[in-house]
Amino acid sequence: MPKFLKGNYRLPKGKATLARKQARKDLTQQFEERALAKLGGSLCFVMKKGTFVWTDEADEGARQASG
Amino acid sequence: MKALAKHLVDRMDRLTAARSVEAAVKNVQANQPYIRLTIADLAAQARRSPPDSAVVIGAGPSLHRRNPVAQLLESGYEGAVVAADGALGYCLRNGLVPEYVVTLDPHPARVCRWFGDPELESRRDGDDYFRRQDLDPYLGVEEFKRNRALIELVNRHGPSIKAIICTSVASNVTKRCVESGMELYWWNPLVDDVEQPKSLTRRLHRLNGAPCMVSGGNVGASAWVAASQVLGAREIAVTGMDFSYPPGTPMEKTQYFKELVELFGKRAHDALIVVRNPHLNETWLTDPAYYWYRETFLRLAAQAEAVTYNCTEGGILFGKAVRWTSLRAFLAARRAAEAVH
């Protein structure tokens, strides 16, 4: 059986190593962030284009029409 | 700032997301049955008679060093008073019933303490947070007795208080606000980019229809956002907004020190930051989360139309976007402005 599963081509060397490295880096980063999360603040801070309060106008219109 | 501190400050938005988002989303779903009024309703009310000014009361250590409530009561201040949840007990004990209280942290047990926690005596989780915290040191001793007194105080004054409440809070906080007779005005937290197709914020908004508000990362900043963007105050004084620890505070007494030691051992000290305040000519100590709060607050203030006065008289919140002054001077200026009108 193993002989049928044997690969008959080689991955380009650089690409495979890069992908593996990136995956390892992502995993390390995830672990690090999980561990360090206890140092975090109360709640996320996200702000775009100076918008302090956001409401989906389209949703709001639909809600009012159906209500 | 040492390299370790910088490393943490630079990642603080991601660390905060990792800490809070999962719990926040779970809480949003649990709070669904309670959502009737939102900050859109509050904004509509405020538009009919917008406050000229507001005083935001954060829960930093200067609250207990400077006692701003005594000055507010003495001055007969007539603007809006918006308290962070951690400052509610201090306000009520000292005879000030804030018109608004803001709450957002999704923690399952701790936040309820600010409202008086009916479950405290039956809970056996060994959490010593309230014995270590400096936000309201009064609650850190004779805990059961003082908690019972706070329950009574909040129940007595709840009907006069409007809660500007984030859908991310734990259900025990919601229940306390409801049973004390507060009027609840809900908002969703902005947790990601609403323009992304799989935006979580957008999903939360679709679920309950509540507007999504920038949090600033902490309840004090959210209280300021509510004062400026929901109530429409043009001049806002902030008090108790230290984002740091007074000179002479031992590192062991700082909020995150236990966690820092667990993570970094002897290097824990390298994660703390010292900031020289030129207005006070004093050096204050802070940790990465609080330093991040400071930076986000300054960014928010720079983008708002309202003028922000830092009347904390302590801490590290200074910069171009914030005018440093005393609460006494702010209140005197408001009185003079009212006299002219």
Side-chain angles (χ1 to χ4, degrees):
Chain A
M1 190 70 174
K3 69 180 176 185
F4 298 114
L5 294 175
K6 192 174 165 189
N8 58 3
Y9 65 95
R10 286 185 187 280
L11 282 169
K13 212 174 181 181
K15 276 189 190 171
T17 316
L18 265 178
R20 214 176 301 133
K21 269 188 185 166
Q22 187 56 44
R24 207 180 303 139
K25 196 178 158 197
D26 289 349
L27 202 61
T28 311
Q29 200 172 10
Q30 267 182 37
F31 274 124
E32 191 196 10
E33 277 170 12
R34 275 278 152 212
L36 297 179
K38 56 179 81 165
L39 303 178
S42 290
L43 204 58
C44 313
F45 168 62
V46 177
M47 189 181 196
K48 279 197 82 177
K49 299 176 186 164
T51 305
F52 284 89
V53 179
W54 177 84
T55 304
D56 188 336
E57 302 295 335
D59 264 19
E60 207 50 39
R63 198 182 298 277
Q64 279 170 12
S66 66
Chain B
M1 191 186 301
K2 299 249 172 84
L4 178 59
K6 188 172 183 320
H7 177 81
L8 295 171
V9 171
D10 290 347
R11 280 156 190 75
M12 197 46 71
D13 48 354
R14 294 177 64 123
L15 301 185
T16 301
R19 181 193 204 200
S20 62
V21 170
E22 204 179 312
V25 170
K26 217 172 108 192
N27 292 343
V28 174
Q29 286 159 347
N31 283 320
Q32 179 77 2
Y34 296 94
I35 300 175
R36 279 188 281 275
L37 298 170
T38 73
I39 54 169
D41 299 293
L42 194 55
Q45 285 175 25
R47 271 196 295 277
R48 289 196 283 274
S49 106
D52 289 332
S53 67
V55 172
V56 171
I57 307 181
S62 289
L63 207 56
H64 312 285
R65 289 157 58 96
R66 304 288 184 183
N67 196 13
V69 157
Q71 292 179 52
L72 282 167
L73 290 173
E74 192 188 310
S75 74
Y77 178 67
E78 288 183 349
V81 175
V82 187
D85 51 10
L88 179 63
Y90 156 80
C91 290
L92 296 180
R93 285 196 308 273
N94 289 285
L96 177 81
V97 182
E99 200 177 347
Y100 307 96
V101 64
V102 180
T103 184
L104 87 150
D105 193 311
H107 196 281
R110 289 176 181 170
V111 181
C112 194
R113 281 288 292 276
W114 303 131
F115 299 87
D117 181 1
E119 304 294 318
L120 179 67
E121 293 179 40
S122 58
R123 196 179 298 122
R124 295 274 182 269
D125 56 7
D127 186 8
D128 66 346
Y129 175 79
F130 279 85
R131 291 192 286 278
R132 290 187 290 118
Q133 53 82 31
D134 60 352
L135 308 174
D136 193 350
Y138 180 85
L139 295 177
V141 283
E142 295 185 273
E143 287 182 85
F144 290 173
K145 187 179 152 198
R146 291 182 177 187
N147 179 60
R148 273 181 242 138
L150 182 58
I151 292 174
E152 210 179 296
L153 258 183
V154 172
N155 287 350
R156 193 183 317 149
H157 297 292
S160 314
I161 300 171
K162 294 179 171 113
I164 300 177
I165 181 168
C166 186
T167 53
S168 59
V169 299
S171 56
N172 54 1
V173 174
T174 306
K175 282 181 190 144
R176 270 304 285 140
C177 292
V178 170
E179 71 189 19
S180 68
M182 291 181 190
E183 206 163 58
L184 273 55
Y185 293 89
W186 292 92
W187 54 284
N188 284 313
L190 265 164
V191 295
D192 59 8
D193 182 357
V194 291
E195 284 170 14
Q196 294 303 311
K198 288 185 177 173
S199 163
L200 180 57
T201 307
R202 194 176 274 273
R203 273 177 22 221
L204 299 181
H205 178 61
R206 283 198 181 134
L207 184 72
N208 57 35
C212 304
M213 190 171 88
V214 166
S215 74
N218 66 97
V219 66
S222 298
W224 175 88
V225 175
S228 70
Q229 306 298 319
V230 179
L231 304 178
R234 314 292 291 186
E235 309 226 308
I236 305 172
V238 297
T239 64
M241 205 79 82
D242 299 84
F243 299 144
S244 56
Y245 309 94
T249 305
M251 290 187 176
E252 298 72 26
K253 291 274 180 193
T254 60
Q255 190 100 21
Y256 293 86
F257 195 73
K258 210 170 147 184
E259 286 83 0
L260 288 171
V261 170
E262 270 171 34
L263 287 161
F264 304 112
K266 284 179 184 165
R267 287 175 66 217
H269 292 77
D270 292 349
L272 293 165
I273 303 157
V274 287
V275 178
R276 185 89 185 149
N277 182 325
H279 300 281
L280 299 165
N281 207 20
E282 287 176 352
T283 301
W284 286 59
L285 181 68
T286 191
D287 37 45
Y290 281 15
Y291 191 83
W292 178 69
Y293 289 164
R294 171 207 198 236
E295 297 294 294
T296 56
F297 191 100
L298 292 174
R299 275 170 63 194
L300 290 175
Q303 292 180 74
E305 282 178 31
V307 181
T308 302
Y309 300 85
N310 186 0
C311 303
T312 299
E313 298 171 60
I316 60 169
L317 184 63
F318 56 87
K320 273 186 192 160
V322 170
R323 298 186 190 176
W324 184 274
T325 186
S326 66
L327 183 60
R328 204 165 290 283
F330 176 83
L331 294 171
R334 296 291 77 68
R335 268 198 307 276
E338 279 161 24
V340 171
H341 294 301

